[in-house]
Amino acid sequence: MTGPLREREDAHALLTAEAERARAGAGRLVLLRGATGTGRSAVLEAAAAHATHLGLRVLRARCSPDDIALPFSSVLHLLGSVPEFADVGPGDDDRGSAARLWRLLRSYADESPLMVAVDDVHLADEASRRWFVEAARRIDRLPVLLVATERSQYDIDPRPAGLTHALSPSVVRTHTLAPLTDDAAAALVRAAFPTASDRWTADCVRAGAGSPLLLHALLDDLDGAPPPTAVPRTCAALYPGSYPAAVSWWLDSAGPATAEVARTLAALEQAERTEQTERAARAERATDAERAASAERAGDSVARNAVPVPLPDPVPAVDSSIDSHSHSHSHSHSYSDTDTVTEAAQEALPAAEVATDALAALVADASGADPARVSGWFTAMTRLGVLRPDRAGRPRYAHPLLRDAVLGGWSTARRQDAHRAVAQAMLRRGDHLDAVARQLLGSAPTGLPWALRVLRDAATVAARDARPGDAVRYLRRSLQEPLPDDLRQRLLTELGSLEYASADTPAGIPRLAEALDLPAEPRDQVRTAIALGTALVGRGEVRTAVEVLRRLEGRLAGHPDLARALQTASALLSDQDQTVRREAYRWLTDTAERSPELVGASGQALLVRYAATAGDLPAQEAMRRLRTLLTEPADPLAEPFLLGTAAAVAQWADELDEAERLVERGLAGQHPSLLHPMEQALLDTRWDIAAARGAYGTLLAALPEAGRARRTGGSPVNADAHTLLALVETGRTPQARRLADTFDLRDTPDSWELNRFLYARGVLRYTEGDVAGALHDFLECGRRQSARAVHSPVVTPWRTAAAECRLALGNPQEALALATEELRLARVWNTPRTTGRALRVLGRATRGRRGLELGAEAVAVLRDSPAEAELVASLLAHGRQLTAAGERGRGRDHLREGAERAERLGSVRLLTYAEQALRTAGGRRTTPAHTGSGSLTGSERRIAELAADGRTNTEIADLLHVARRTVETHLTSAYRKLGIRRRGELRGVLDD
């Protein structure tokens, strides 16, 4: 596609004036200089046409590097066939030849005024260049206008001196063609596509990069796909390919060194852009999740521990005027070095220069170029418009299409070599591990130790930082390197684990199975088997998982510690299937009775947990046994099982601080790149602890998307059950209903998590008024729990929940039987939480004086326990009992206390119930202390006072024997209630 010349009026005026001067008998050399693609040839052709119109004879020659072997080749093309020059060869004396050619030119000038048009004079042979210089000195008295075009562009390899280097300024007029401004380029686009939008036009302008050559080529290619079709980002979408051909020609004319630098920069930028795109996608997903969570939390004035997530500060952008070097040139003979920038941009300039210099050094190191020349090339290309500064001030290609066209001239192998060279250069200068590894992702296998080390270390860091997607990419690339079998086995295990963790379950399981088949040390084989078993259970293949572990166990006769770790893992994984679980614990129990040493400390801990859930063991005895087991030396492979099991039982026993410490200790020992069943078990216990504390804000701070992603078939997980209960407690019944309806439980495979969710859905149904539906869920939960030999109410108190449904439906005898049985089991476990709940419901079912006594006992039992929600429920229930019995004053006192505690707890459900009961009893609430020191719980005040005394969070945690996370949670809540933002303000507000 051709178009009118834009912004070349100065050049046209100069050439017109010089043509008139030549007609008058005074010749001169006019040199048109400009970068490749700025339209030198087009201006020359226009000048030639105008000279013809004025009556000048035009002699034309286009110089070519193919003719440099023949002296005077360019002059001969210009002057026509000269027979006496037919035998001239390289090395001949050219003085006489030059004189004869000069006489020939004079003879032409005697006939009529001449315009001698020489295109690309920088490509002329040396003899011709000398002849043109000498002619320029002598044509001032001849009617000859000599016009030559010369490429003047900064390249990595310095170019020889130009044509006018040895000439006096008086004998030559030099004009430099500037790149097109954005306005001129936009006019060309609109001339070709009149209906184009401003955005589409601007996109074309950026891809044209200020070059008429590139812009016309692009418009040629887009002729078959006019707007609103988007401007492509890759050359594969262009036809017939004029644009990539023009870019290739531009690079060829710049020389191999410049092309190498240009393509190295493109390869580096492409890797960074890919990473930025992936990061932005991850951030967008995270932002969407945060927005959803925030929407769920909106309007909740009573939810606790909901700490907002701070957003990163925006990166300051360099003012756009810095980007205008290539688009605000005057059409004079030189460029201005001054640009008007804002004060903020001026402050950003030093940082931008540092960033540019660092990038130049990196590209130079990777391409073998001179850093100073690379930095100069960046400056030149930015002025031309080929590069534009990004927000950090670093030069980047003006458009993705231009970057793709620059890379198009490289083969895949050459691109891979560039990525390896960039990675090695980045490693030498100490760049971030991730940045080096990202470059290696685009390289071919190197077989070099440093490359494998970088990829492995980057994978470890990514896994530790909860970026499994990055870790997966690094490990996949690591496996392309030549590896011994044992190392390949370990990397496959890590990769399979991370693929499963990042929801790529179909890829993860075959990868782990492949690792298990490779020869390796027994300990590595056990790690792989446990990871594979965990993945299989996540896919619902519990029996297959247990069989995998048992097959390996049979090959470990000489490694009893490893065999015990596999046995424990088998028992733990069997929890997802009641039939397999029954078999696993029968074998574990029988073995422990015959030879306790064969099951080890972790196996014995599992048996303690089993007895606790079966209702055969008191909490105090269970904790005594577990604490003893925790003091025994443990194999590193078995220790996570011991810690996770002890944490779960401690949470049931209401030893919440101890449970939290065990969870943190267990999670700290988890390998970030290895799949292990106890990691999820520990996270589940963390959820259980938060629920036991009534920390609804913590439970709702992040929806359990990650947990659901690790399971197949859409089955609910423990976090879903807790989230559902927290939504109900905080009065968000519609959101709770939407979450419950997410799961179709009819075909959900058996698991303890399904039972938890059935219980939670029953609570939701009861709150919604669907008492019959709630009763069905509670009884189904109980049936499934009993089939798993889980009889104790420590996990799900389904009997008391069903009893309350029976009472609501008018079946007190059935309610009495259920509550009586739960109290019996609760007294076996003997913690205030389970006992107090059972007493409360039994009191309601019993009624009369005995019912009042049971209700009062429930309140008394729960007074000093951490089960705040159960205490509130018992206060409200007993308050209703007292009111019904005629003790309205005492009843209202209980109801008011329950209301105040419900508000501090954040339970909208219980608060609503309390206010209704108070109105029925003829009372009203007193105004509670929502803020100030009076609103603090006992734990919050104790921790706040220690912090006010100057203790650090770690010191407070050690002093109170709680986890540091607990200290931080309580302090956050205290700050909110006290209306302060920093530690130094604590003493003043606590003393008020």
Side-chain angles (χ1 to χ4, degrees):
M1 181 180 290
T2 59
L5 296 178
R6 302 277 178 174
E7 298 182 326
R8 300 297 182 248
E9 293 82 359
D10 286 356
H12 182 70
L14 171 64
L15 291 168
T16 298
E18 292 300 325
E20 293 289 352
R21 188 171 182 272
R23 289 179 65 194
R28 185 141 53 192
L29 167 63
V30 175
L31 184 64
L32 298 175
R33 304 173 73 240
T36 300
T38 49
R40 301 186 312 267
S41 298
V43 172
L44 183 63
E45 287 299 317
H50 184 69
T52 301
H53 177 72
L54 293 176
L56 277 70
R57 179 183 178 184
V58 178
L59 305 178
R60 291 184 175 89
R62 175 163 293 170
C63 304
S64 168
D66 295 335
D67 298 330
I68 60 175
L70 181 65
F72 300 106
S73 175
S74 298
V75 180
L76 292 172
H77 283 304
L78 184 74
L79 299 179
S81 177
V82 183
E84 58 265 35
F85 283 84
D87 298 328
V88 174
D92 289 349
D93 179 28
D94 62 359
R95 291 181 183 179
S97 300
R100 291 196 296 272
L101 290 170
W102 173 249
R103 287 195 296 271
L104 181 59
L105 176 65
R106 289 198 60 162
S107 68
Y108 290 159
D110 289 341
E111 296 174 4
S112 69
L114 297 177
M115 175 182 173
V116 178
V118 183
D119 202 8
D120 291 338
V121 72
H122 55 283
L123 298 178
D125 60 277
E126 189 59 32
S128 293
R129 286 172 61 83
R130 289 194 299 270
W131 189 90
F132 290 136
V133 170
E134 188 61 28
R137 292 193 178 103
R138 301 166 65 182
I139 60 173
D140 58 328
R141 296 184 181 277
L142 294 178
V144 177
L145 172 60
L146 174 57
V147 183
T149 68
E150 183 178 65
R151 181 181 181 275
S152 62
Q153 181 171 312
Y154 192 96
D155 294 317
I156 301 302
D157 283 339
R159 293 285 178 174
L163 184 67
T164 60
H165 176 69
L167 289 175
S168 169
S170 63
V171 300
V172 61
R173 294 291 302 275
T174 301
H175 183 88
T176 302
L177 300 177
L180 293 177
T181 64
D182 284 353
D183 289 342
L188 283 172
V189 174
R190 291 194 180 95
F193 298 102
T195 62
S197 67
D198 290 344
R199 183 172 181 178
W200 193 89
T201 300
D203 215 14
C204 285
V205 168
R206 290 183 74 92
S211 166
L213 169 73
L214 297 185
L215 185 57
H216 283 301
L218 176 63
L219 296 178
D220 273 338
D221 284 337
L222 295 179
D223 192 35
T229 304
V231 177
R233 262 45 186 167
T234 65
C235 294
L238 297 178
Y239 181 81
S242 301
Y243 183 84
V247 172
S248 180
W249 181 79
W250 169 71
L251 287 173
D252 289 344
S253 67
T258 300
E260 184 81 6
V261 166
R263 287 171 172 143
T264 300
L265 175 64
L268 179 63
E269 182 181 335
Q270 186 181 54
E272 290 183 0
R273 294 287 185 182
T274 301
E275 176 62 21
Q276 289 171 2
T277 300
E278 292 172 352
R279 251 184 217 170
R282 289 195 299 268
E284 182 63 26
R285 289 192 295 269
T287 302
D288 288 343
E290 178 63 24
R291 277 198 293 264
S294 297
E296 292 290 329
R297 294 193 296 268
D300 180 18
S301 61
V302 294
R304 304 193 312 166
N305 303 332
V307 182
V309 178
L311 295 176
D313 294 331
V315 178
V318 178
D319 189 81
S320 59
S321 57
I322 295 177
D323 194 18
S324 64
H325 288 291
S326 59
H327 308 287
S328 59
H329 307 293
S330 67
H331 293 176
S332 62
H333 293 210
S334 62
Y335 300 136
S336 171
D337 289 331
T338 59
D339 294 286
T340 302
V341 295
T342 65
E343 182 178 348
Q346 288 174 336
E347 292 175 356
L349 280 173
E353 290 173 0
V354 171
T356 300
D357 289 344
L359 179 62
L362 175 61
V363 172
D365 193 355
S367 61
D370 179 356
R373 298 294 299 181
V374 174
S375 182
W377 186 80
F378 283 175
T379 301
M381 292 303 103
T382 301
R383 284 184 175 276
L384 289 175
V386 173
L387 303 177
R388 297 196 181 199
D390 65 7
R391 303 186 82 186
R394 299 174 303 172
R396 290 291 184 264
Y397 281 98
H399 194 277
L401 184 64
L402 177 57
R403 180 180 68 242
D404 186 67
V406 169
L407 276 175
W410 260 359
S411 65
T412 300
R414 190 63 195 86
R415 292 191 195 192
Q416 291 174 336
D417 289 343
H419 284 296
R420 179 201 53 74
V422 169
Q424 197 162 10
M426 295 174 86
L427 185 66
R428 280 194 292 266
R429 75 176 193 175
D431 277 9
H432 193 279
L433 197 64
D434 254 356
V436 181
R438 282 198 301 272
Q439 291 298 323
L440 286 173
L441 291 177
S443 71
T446 66
L448 300 173
W450 68 265
L452 181 59
R453 184 177 66 254
V454 165
L455 289 166
R456 291 187 66 193
D457 290 348
T460 300
V461 171
R464 185 192 63 205
D465 293 345
R467 293 183 288 116
D470 290 340
V472 163
R473 293 205 304 276
Y474 298 148
L475 285 173
R476 285 175 178 169
R477 173 62 183 79
S478 297
L479 286 166
Q480 295 174 11
E481 296 289 326
L483 301 169
D485 282 345
D486 58 342
L487 181 54
R488 182 172 294 278
Q489 195 270 353
R490 290 197 295 274
L491 293 181
L492 280 169
T493 300
E494 292 182 23
L495 177 56
S497 297
L498 288 166
E499 284 175 331
Y500 180 85
S502 57
D504 194 0
T505 307
I509 290 178
R511 199 88 68 176
L512 291 167
E514 180 186 354
L516 194 59
D517 288 338
L518 288 174
E521 291 293 324
R523 186 169 292 274
D524 290 332
Q525 288 183 316
V526 170
R527 289 191 181 97
T528 303
I530 291 175
L532 177 57
T534 305
L536 288 169
V537 167
R539 203 166 66 177
E541 300 179 24
V542 181
R543 186 170 294 280
T544 302
V546 172
E547 289 173 354
V548 166
L549 297 180
R550 287 178 178 168
R551 279 199 302 270
L552 180 58
E553 181 188 341
R555 304 200 300 267
L556 296 175
H559 302 275
D561 289 346
L562 299 181
R564 283 195 292 269
L566 287 174
Q567 293 161 7
T568 306
S570 298
L572 183 71
L573 292 173
S574 70
D575 275 348
Q576 296 296 328
D577 184 287
Q578 59 179 310
T579 303
V580 181
R581 182 179 188 269
R582 189 163 47 247
E583 296 170 0
Y585 278 95
R586 184 185 303 118
W587 178 90
L588 197 62
T589 302
D590 293 344
T591 304
E593 290 176 354
R594 293 193 310 271
S595 305
E597 72 281 357
L598 293 181
V599 299
S602 56
Q604 293 178 47
L606 283 178
L607 289 175
V608 170
R609 191 190 71 163
Y610 186 83
T613 58
D616 298 334
L617 196 65
Q620 188 174 2
E621 175 62 17
M623 290 306 301
R624 185 193 67 78
R625 294 185 188 180
L626 287 171
R627 286 167 181 151
T628 300
L629 292 171
L630 285 166
T631 63
E632 298 179 4
D635 184 273
L637 281 175
E639 186 178 39
F641 297 104
L642 177 58
L643 293 172
T645 303
V649 176
Q651 181 267 314
W652 294 336
D654 276 342
E655 300 287 352
L656 301 183
D657 290 341
E658 184 174 357
E660 200 158 36
R661 287 197 303 273
L662 290 167
V663 167
E664 299 306 322
R665 181 179 161 192
L667 289 173
Q670 288 290 307
H671 193 296
S673 300
L674 289 178
L675 196 59
H676 197 287
M678 282 317 302
E679 180 182 7
Q680 188 59 48
L682 288 161
L683 293 173
D684 283 330
T685 301
R686 180 183 280 175
W687 280 92
D688 296 344
I689 294 168
R693 294 188 190 279
Y696 306 125
T698 297
L699 295 170
L700 295 175
L703 294 177
E705 295 297 332
R708 279 205 295 275
R710 296 185 62 172
R711 311 300 165 88
T712 58
S715 302
V717 296
N718 185 46
D720 293 312
H722 284 307
T723 301
L724 186 59
L725 287 171
L727 288 169
V728 172
E729 288 300 325
T730 54
R732 299 172 182 143
T733 306
Q735 294 97 316
R737 170 48 55 193
R738 287 196 293 273
L739 175 59
D741 291 344
T742 302
F743 304 99
D744 184 355
L745 304 186
R746 290 172 295 181
D747 298 321
T748 300
D750 175 69
S751 71
W752 64 270
E753 291 170 301
L754 172 60
N755 300 343
R756 288 267 182 101
F757 195 79
L758 280 168
Y759 177 83
R761 193 177 70 174
V763 173
L764 170 62
R765 284 179 164 179
Y766 188 88
T767 304
E768 292 174 325
D770 181 10
V771 180
L775 178 61
H776 174 272
D777 280 346
F778 294 139
L779 292 177
E780 179 63 14
C781 171
R783 183 188 69 78
R784 290 172 175 270
Q785 291 286 67
S786 299
R788 299 168 64 85
V790 177
H791 305 299
S792 175
V794 297
V795 181
T796 47
W798 64 270
R799 293 179 184 84
T800 46
E804 291 189 300
C805 291
R806 293 292 191 192
L807 286 173
L809 293 171
N811 299 316
Q813 291 303 315
E814 295 179 12
L816 186 64
L818 286 165
T820 300
E821 176 62 10
E822 181 149 317
L823 180 59
R824 182 189 71 79
L825 291 166
R827 290 199 185 279
V828 173
W829 185 243
N830 201 27
T831 59
R833 187 188 302 272
T834 54
T835 304
R837 177 188 174 90
L839 285 168
R840 167 173 59 83
V841 178
L842 183 59
R844 289 191 59 214
T846 303
R847 301 185 182 180
R849 179 54 54 186
R850 179 56 181 159
L852 281 172
E853 293 173 354
L854 290 169
E857 185 181 357
V859 172
V861 164
L862 289 164
R863 278 287 181 195
D864 297 324
S865 80
E868 185 74 6
E870 292 296 346
L871 174 58
V872 172
S874 295
L875 283 167
L876 299 181
H878 192 47
R880 292 287 295 269
Q881 286 178 308
L882 290 169
T883 302
E887 300 184 43
R888 300 175 69 84
R890 288 182 60 206
R892 286 194 292 266
D893 288 344
H894 278 70
L895 293 174
R896 287 193 187 98
E897 182 184 357
E900 291 170 7
R901 287 180 178 270
E903 184 165 36
R904 286 201 299 268
L905 183 65
S907 176
V908 174
R909 182 182 70 86
L910 290 175
L911 179 60
T912 302
Y913 179 81
E915 290 175 337
Q916 291 173 347
L918 271 170
R919 285 194 297 270
T920 301
R924 62 186 179 83
R925 291 177 56 203
T926 57
T927 303
H930 296 289
T931 60
S933 59
S935 66
L936 299 181
T937 65
S939 296
E940 289 168 350
R941 173 170 283 280
R942 184 165 63 253
I943 289 173
E945 287 175 345
L946 289 170
D949 290 339
R951 307 265 189 174
T952 66
N953 289 0
T954 301
E955 290 171 341
I956 297 171
D958 292 340
L959 188 64
L960 299 180
H961 303 291
V962 298
R964 178 172 173 169
R965 181 189 180 93
T966 303
V967 175
E968 293 168 349
T969 299
H970 284 315
L971 278 177
T972 300
S973 179
Y975 285 177
R976 186 179 67 252
K977 291 179 179 179
L978 296 172
I980 62 175
R981 303 188 65 177
R982 56 182 62 88
R983 213 179 192 91
E985 301 175 63
L986 275 171
R987 178 50 61 197
V989 293
L990 288 174
D991 290 341
D992 289 344

